Amino acid sequence: MSSTRSARLLLASLFLAGASAHAEQAVTLLGLGSSIPDAWQLETPSSDMRLLQSAIPAADGDAAAFVVFYFGPEQGGTLEANVERWQSQFQGPEGTAVEPRISEIGTAALPATLVELRGSYGRSVGMGPGGDMLPDRMLLAAVVETPEGTLYPQLHGPAMLVAEQRDAFIAFVRGLQPAATPRP
């Protein structure tokens, strides 16, 4: 067997071994491609503002949700306004404020900021908690600047489950790049 063919077989087997251990599914939105873990079950987006939506199942049935919001060019508000709104939906012990952890996770081509919050969470569209406060929740929210406008990927749910999926969330954001166009 030729060394080129041996190398190709080795690469293919390594790819397949890696795929079975860390299988991912490709996703495309706004002309950008990335991937999410196969365990994240894709769903039909529940509104026109959601480009992508999936559930992350948990053994106890308390799933997390992954959503990518897009409101249009120059829409969706500033980073500061979004951080303030997300923070207002969380409470710490005895109703105290929860301080966000903010870091830069983007690339030179697509700047992105990650906001992390953990505590009791009352998810809502506007300021303040909406509905019942659920204990020990976590939100990972990114603000990704693209040529088409800002993307707002979010992962929220039980704190332990979201924390376990943090690396996959960051990999999705960092993996965003122009999608390959099919050849004619």
Side-chain angles (χ1 to χ4, degrees), residues 2-4 29 40 42 59 62 64 78 103 130 139 145 152 181 183:
S2 76
S3 62
T4 303
L29 47 143
W40 295 15
L42 285 172
D62 194 6
T78 64
S103 56
L139 169 69
E145 300 170 34
Y152 300 90
T181 54
R183 294 187 179 146

Side-chain angles (χ1 to χ4, degrees), residues 96-119:
T96 59
V98 173
E99 289 302 314
R101 192 168 113 192
I102 301 173
S103 56
E104 298 301 318
I105 61 167
T107 63
L110 295 173
T113 303
L114 174 64
V115 179
E116 301 176 69
L117 291 153
R118 183 174 182 166

Side-chain angles (χ1 to χ4, degrees), residues 4 8 14-15 27 35 54 85-86 98 126 130 137-138:
T4 303
R8 285 184 186 155
L14 288 173
F15 173 77
V27 294
S35 62
S54 66
R85 182 171 47 81
W86 296 326
V98 173
R137 298 290 152 156
M138 188 170 186

Side-chain angles (χ1 to χ4, degrees), residues 83-161:
V83 170
E84 182 181 356
R85 182 171 47 81
W86 296 326
Q87 185 179 14
S88 77
Q89 298 168 2
F90 276 84
Q91 292 179 357
E94 300 174 27
T96 59
V98 173
E99 289 302 314
R101 192 168 113 192
I102 301 173
S103 56
E104 298 301 318
I105 61 167
T107 63
L110 295 173
T113 303
L114 174 64
V115 179
E116 301 176 69
L117 291 153
R118 183 174 182 166
S120 294
Y121 185 34
R123 188 165 176 83
S124 70
V125 175
M127 293 294 284
D132 294 331
M133 296 294 287
L134 300 174
D136 200 22
R137 298 290 152 156
M138 188 170 186
L139 169 69
L140 302 177
V143 177
V144 184
E145 300 170 34
T146 80
E148 301 296 322
T150 306
L151 289 175
Y152 300 90
Q154 296 184 8
L155 175 59
H156 64 89
M160 182 183 279
L161 179 57

